[in-house]
Amino acid sequence: MPAAAREGALELAGLSRHYGEREALGGVSLSLQKGQTLVVFGPNGAGKTTLLRVLATLLRPHAGSVRVLGSELPREAWAVRARLGLLGHEPLLYRQLTARENLRYHARLHGVDERRVEELLELVAMDGRSSEPLRTLSRGMVQRVAVARAVLHDPELLLLDEPHANLDPAAVELVAPLIGAGGDPGGRRTRVICSHDPSRGLAEADLVLGLRGGRQALLREARDVRLEEIEELYR
Amino acid sequence: MRHTVGALLRKELLVEIRTLESVPGMSLFALTTFVVFHFALNRNVVEGDLAAGILWVTLLFAAILGVNRLFVADAEEGGFDGFLLAPVDRTAMLVAKALTLLLYMLVLELVAVPAFALLLLGPPLGQALPGLIAVLALADVGVAAIGTLVAALAVQTRARDLFGPLLALPLLVPIVIGAARASSPVLAGAHHGGPPARWMLTLGLYDLVFGLIAYALFDFLLED
Amino acid sequence: MYGKGLRALSISTVAVMTAALALVFFYAPLEAEQGFLQKIFYVHVPLAIVALGGFVAGGIMAIQHLRTRDPRWDMRSYVAIHMGLIFGLGALITGSIWAKGSWGHWWVWDEPTLVSFLIVFLLYATYQPLRFAIEDPERQARYASVFAVTAGAFVPLNFIAVRMSTAYVHPRVLGGTSNLPGPMALTFAVSLIAIALLYVTLYKYELTAKHARAQLRALRRRLLGEDAAARPVRRGRSAAPASLHPAAMMTARARAEDGI
């Protein structure tokens, strides 16, 4: 594989972030290649969501260095926003607006053609209910629209926070191609997934990061990690 | 930038049309307040200073209602994150929100000013209208700029409905001074002069300074 | 670092204040109309001027905080505004006493300086509640700074607007410090310096106290772990910024892990 194609997707060195006097993230360091999937495990409050939000450029790092897709944060955050997508706990959608209106709004913000909105509505099987306000829809449906929002602009880097929450098995299968790694090794999407499901998470991972109390408790290639080690984190 | 402001504005107006949370409340509040003033002051007609005062106090408090609701939908439904993830100039949100508030004020005044003329104003409004519109326009711009900045500050606090007025009212005092002094001769019975240039200039300068301040500071409220 | 020069400052403050008091009581002539009560002017006006200066200084420090994100600037801004608020309250009270003595009312609207000061005071009175109402410490500091800058810019503009609104109604009494006769002018100048020094001294005292408390918290955290430091050194919550050097504290912790 030529060197350029193996450019790091993520380069973290001593990434730290505090909340007042409490340490939310303490010195996280790792390297992730493009096309790889990093899965982050850890109990609640371990810093998974904080890490994801820092990578999403929503939070600034307080110490250490962060490079996402070659851009240093926070200085060059503006340059990388178009290339990443976030699917967090919140759907980031307006409940009073319809699925179509929400997606069109995001499409305009990202400079994406409106036809892509229709495309995605079909892909998440929401084209039938696309003209109803989101507050009338079930959580599972809203989550599907949220997935559509996250991948609307075809991001190179996907940041997923427990993406399968609120989704029934049929929906999980439906969105799998959208948020999956996809494609051949050359064109695979880089992903960072926060997961509470050790077996599924491990299955999807190339690299595993375990966080506890904001600190790096485990960092290894997925094939070298045993399920018990992940479960250990939660004890 | 223009494109982003357009997208934001469309979203704002769409949400408002769907929920009707701001404009009807502001307008109704203004009408009710005129009635309250009638009883509180025990007057059937007012003119000059008193008229200007009643009109501006009412418009101001109605505006505060709009200010309080301005960022609530975004704060509660993750609208900030959605916007912050987009590759756009963040100041577009300030411009879009200020334009939204301005629009709300215009609709409010379309209702409140005729109602005021009907219910309380002594002298006929006809000749005074152009002058009054000029004052309204200048004052509204200032209210929009300061209101948006204050709304963004207040929405992140625990008692956001309280901080909106607490922060906005002192900052809007110079606008009240300017607007009331400017419209007082306009609303006077006998002499229909235009609004005094001195006060129009004051309003304009205040708008400019705080518009610039809001522009410079807004980004700091969005980032984390 | 913060405590240096505090003693010299305190001594000079006491000295100048004594001089000012002496001048006020023994040197400045009795004003014809208002009599002895007029002497409160030497306290009221300097208090107001210094308070306003403190607010504006707080605004400038807030700009620095926004630019550098250094929490020390936020601390300075907070203390400057806090002190300004206390001196401002003093200005309002003495102003009211003076109004009662001179015009027979506890409050007068004809005095634009007093009126605009009231508005400014009402605005800054929301500073601490605002800080208190925002949980996230970084956001709290940032929002407080935005407020401080806005309010700091507001101070002169508001003063101009209010002055304009009363300009042609009543003659102003306070503005004409340049019209003061010699002895009064000297007394006024010394009083102003005294109050300004008092402000700076109290400012430094509060800043030093806060810094010491922040260091104490950091030390407890380092030695006793996260939970111990979470217990507040002082009961009750405070609107004041609590931590000064988060980055320094983190490296301190890292050092502690390695060394101890």
Side-chain angles (χ1 to χ4, degrees), chain A residues 65-200:
Chain A
S65 80
V66 181
R67 290 190 87 88
V68 175
L69 297 176
S71 296
E72 185 167 321
L73 305 184
R75 209 164 39 94
E76 296 169 337
W78 57 272
V80 79
R81 273 183 196 123
R83 300 161 72 190
L84 45 85
L86 173 70
L87 182 64
H89 289 300
E90 309 284 321
L92 307 187
L93 302 165
Y94 291 91
R95 285 167 50 248
Q96 304 295 340
L97 302 184
T98 69
R100 178 173 283 114
E101 285 164 348
N102 267 295
L103 290 180
R104 282 214 180 139
Y105 165 64
H106 277 96
R108 286 189 205 108
L109 284 184
H110 284 268
V112 168
D113 195 279
E114 285 192 6
R115 278 168 295 178
R116 176 110 173 107
V117 169
E118 302 303 321
E119 211 179 285
L120 274 167
L121 282 171
E122 253 179 274
L123 282 172
V124 295
M126 284 299 298
D127 44 332
R129 310 287 300 268
S130 58
S131 302
E132 295 168 44
L134 288 182
R135 59 178 166 76
T136 65
L137 303 178
S138 71
R139 274 171 78 176
M141 290 185 190
V142 173
Q143 182 76 349
R144 282 192 256 158
V145 182
V147 170
R149 176 201 52 75
V151 299
L152 193 63
H153 52 294
D154 211 5
E156 288 167 55
L157 170 63
L158 255 190
L159 305 165
L160 308 167
D161 203 340
E162 295 175 59
H164 299 301
N166 302 323
L167 289 179
D168 61 59
V172 168
E173 226 182 275
L174 195 62
V175 303
L178 289 172
I179 59 175
D184 51 275
R188 290 180 67 164
R189 186 148 46 190
T190 318
R191 302 182 302 160
V192 177
I193 308 177
C194 291
S195 177
H196 267 321
D197 188 343
S199 49
R200 169 183 257 137

Side-chain angles (χ1 to χ4, degrees), chain A residues 17 53 56-60 81-82 84 86 92-98 101 105-106 108-110 133 149, chain B residues 3-4 7-8 10-11 14-15 18-19 73-74 77-79 81-88 90 223-224:
Chain A
R17 191 172 155 99
R53 288 176 71 83
T57 74
L58 291 176
L59 296 176
R60 336 179 110 236
R81 273 183 196 123
L84 45 85
L86 173 70
L92 307 187
L93 302 165
Y94 291 91
R95 285 167 50 248
Q96 304 295 340
L97 302 184
T98 69
E101 285 164 348
Y105 165 64
H106 277 96
R108 286 189 205 108
L109 284 184
H110 284 268
R149 176 201 52 75
Chain B
H3 189 69
T4 313
L8 284 167
R10 272 174 95 154
K11 183 260 300 178
L14 212 51
V15 173
R18 248 353 120 62
T19 61
D74 303 288
E77 305 190 25
D81 276 357
F83 174 74
L84 292 173
L85 286 170
V88 293
R90 290 164 166 195
E223 64 172 41
D224 248 328

Side-chain angles (χ1 to χ4, degrees), chain C residues 64-108:
Chain C
Q64 280 302 98
H65 173 243
L66 289 176
R67 280 182 59 218
T68 66
R69 288 165 214 287
D70 187 343
R72 283 175 295 181
W73 280 115
D74 176 50
M75 184 72 87
R76 290 177 193 140
S77 175
Y78 171 85
V79 175
I81 291 176
H82 188 214
M83 275 299 141
L85 214 53
I86 294 173
F87 277 59
L89 189 61
L92 280 174
I93 293 174
T94 51
S96 183
I97 296 173
W98 187 21
K100 179 68 176 167
S102 308
W103 296 291
H105 303 286
W106 288 108
W107 182 258
V108 283

